[in-house]
């Protein structure tokens, strides 16, 4: 795994992969790599026009479908339009944005990064044959799951702690899904990945002074193509294990080839994960057929 690259992706001919947020950054790079390996790739994006050039570059085995993770009606409409898939990559996300609400009234980062993907996965799960990959971040380290106020209805909003909560929720969801799938005897697996520090346009949409800092620090970040390697490994490698977490191996997990990595212990807290799951089902109205 220490030298794993897109050249090591197994032949994906005959397989269908859905990637959220595949119009740019990590998602676009993952889509291109999977398309080159023969997969049928569905680019699930909020703005279809932004994803169409990526699909055109991939070729006839790529298509674009509208999906706004900040609107549960859009999530349901997208899921209804999918008949079959082998792999779902929950890649899309927003980072450190000003306080705002999704169409359903959720805090934007928790609602988009976690609840949108939670609902999407639950609705698509009966149609998935192989695996679910959820993209988190080393920012889960600054996250705390506040079960009493998940949507910042009462506590003071702080954009980075809200982002950390959403990324910790991604991890806890992926691990809890792996446990539930395992207990049910399902052949589907669930794993998580993070890109380390990769240069993408995600870092330039915080609408704050951080945007300038992020653009400057991108000079030392690895490329989006390299940042996509952990999620590609999780999505394609026969060695990738359900319940595992993959990220870059170098510079403290910031860059390099993918490797098995350890989340902070709080991400493995099963009691909190179960409570988060119940809350997520209640908020989204989506239950999992397990």
């Amino acid at each position: 795994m220490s030298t794993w690259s897109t050249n090591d992706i197994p032949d994906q001919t005959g397989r269908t992969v859905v990637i959220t947020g595949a119009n740019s950054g990590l998602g676009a790079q993952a889509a291109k790599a999977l398309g080159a390996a023969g997969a049928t790739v569905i680019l699930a994006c909020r703005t279809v026009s932004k994803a169409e050039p990526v699909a055109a570059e991939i070729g006839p085995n790529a298509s674009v479908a509208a999906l706004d993770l900040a609107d549960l009606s859009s999530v349901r409409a997208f899921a209804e339009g999918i008949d079959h898939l082998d792999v779902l990559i929950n890649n899309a996300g927003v980072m450190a944005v000003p306080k705002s609400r999704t169409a359903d009234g959720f805090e934007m980062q928790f609602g988009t990064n976690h609840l949108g993907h939670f609902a999407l996965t639950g609705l698509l799960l009966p149609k998935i044959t192989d695996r679910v990959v959820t993209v988190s971040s080393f920012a889960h380290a600054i996250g705390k799951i506040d079960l009493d106020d998940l949507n910042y209805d009462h506590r003071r909003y702080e954009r980075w702690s809200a982002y950390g909560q959403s990324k910790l929720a991604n991890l806890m969801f992926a691990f809890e899904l792996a446990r539930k799938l395992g207990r049910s005897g399902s052949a589907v697996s669930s794993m998580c990945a993070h890109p380390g520090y990769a240069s993408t346009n995600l870092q330039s949409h915080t609408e704050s002074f951080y945007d300038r800092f992020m653009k400057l620090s991108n000079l030392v970040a690895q490329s989006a193509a390299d940042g996509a390697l952990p999620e590609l490994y999780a999505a394609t490698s026969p060695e990738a294990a359900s319940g595992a977490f993959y990220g870059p191996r170098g510079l403290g997990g910031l860059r390099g080839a993918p490797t098995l990595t350890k989340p902070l212990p709080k991400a493995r807290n099963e009691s909190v994960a179960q409570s988060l799951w119940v809350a997520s089902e209640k908020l989204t109205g989506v239950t999992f057929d397990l």
Side-chain angles (χ1 to χ4, degrees):
M1 195 191 306
S2 62
T3 59
W4 196 91
S5 72
T6 53
N7 294 328
D8 297 298
I9 296 176
D11 183 14
Q12 299 294 296
T13 302
R15 290 164 62 81
T16 299
V17 183
V18 169
I19 309 176
T20 67
N23 58 289
S24 65
L26 304 176
Q29 294 301 323
K32 292 174 185 178
L34 290 165
T40 296
V41 185
I42 301 173
L43 287 66
C45 304
R46 182 178 60 181
T47 306
V48 170
S49 61
K50 292 183 178 180
E52 288 174 340
V54 180
E57 182 178 342
I58 295 170
N61 55 327
S63 61
V64 181
L67 171 65
D68 185 353
L69 290 162
D71 184 343
L72 291 179
S73 65
S74 174
V75 174
R76 290 183 181 278
F78 173 84
E80 288 173 2
I82 301 296
D83 296 323
H84 160 89
L85 69 158
D86 298 286
V87 179
L88 169 64
I89 303 181
N90 291 322
N91 166 85
V94 293
M95 183 179 76
V97 295
K99 186 176 183 180
S100 57
R101 298 283 172 182
T102 69
D104 303 280
F106 308 134
E107 186 277 311
M108 183 60 72
Q109 297 187 82
F110 184 72
T112 302
N113 297 351
H114 170 61
L115 291 176
H117 282 127
F118 179 92
L120 179 67
T121 304
L123 293 168
L124 289 179
L125 191 60
K127 307 173 186 180
I128 297 173
T129 66
D130 187 12
R131 62 188 80 179
V132 178
V133 178
T134 301
V135 178
S136 183
S137 165
F138 52 74
H140 80 275
I142 62 174
K144 178 183 178 182
I145 304 297
D146 188 335
L147 293 166
D148 295 321
D149 192 15
L150 290 168
N151 285 297
Y152 285 81
D153 294 318
H154 307 294
R155 54 181 164 150
R156 178 179 175 273
Y157 181 75
E158 201 288 311
R159 66 180 74 204
W160 285 103
S161 63
Y163 179 67
Q165 176 182 248
S166 73
K167 292 289 101 180
L168 178 57
N170 285 152
L171 264 179
M172 300 188 88
F173 164 61
F175 295 152
E176 181 65 11
L177 179 59
R179 289 188 288 265
K180 290 183 182 297
L181 289 167
R183 288 193 293 265
S184 72
S186 174
V188 178
S189 56
S190 169
M191 53 277 288
C192 207
H194 81 88
Y197 188 44
S199 178
T200 70
N201 64 6
L202 182 67
Q203 290 100 327
S204 60
H205 287 79
T206 69
E207 299 178 35
S208 72
F209 75 92
Y210 286 106
D211 289 353
R212 288 186 180 180
F213 170 75
M214 291 295 187
K215 288 179 179 179
L216 180 62
S217 59
N218 276 345
L219 295 174
V220 297
Q222 65 178 347
S223 67
D226 287 339
L229 290 177
E231 65 186 85
L232 284 167
Y233 179 87
T236 65
S237 174
E239 306 300 320
S242 190
F245 184 31
Y246 299 98
R249 66 181 297 110
L251 285 179
L254 294 180
R255 59 187 300 147
T259 189
L260 184 65
T261 189
K262 289 185 178 181
L264 291 182
K266 61 184 175 182
R268 297 284 190 185
N269 187 315
E270 293 188 29
S271 176
V272 174
Q274 289 166 9
S275 295
L276 175 64
W277 188 284
V278 171
S280 300
E281 286 187 329
K282 183 177 180 180
L283 288 167
T284 63
V286 174
T287 57
F288 282 60
D289 183 13
L290 291 169

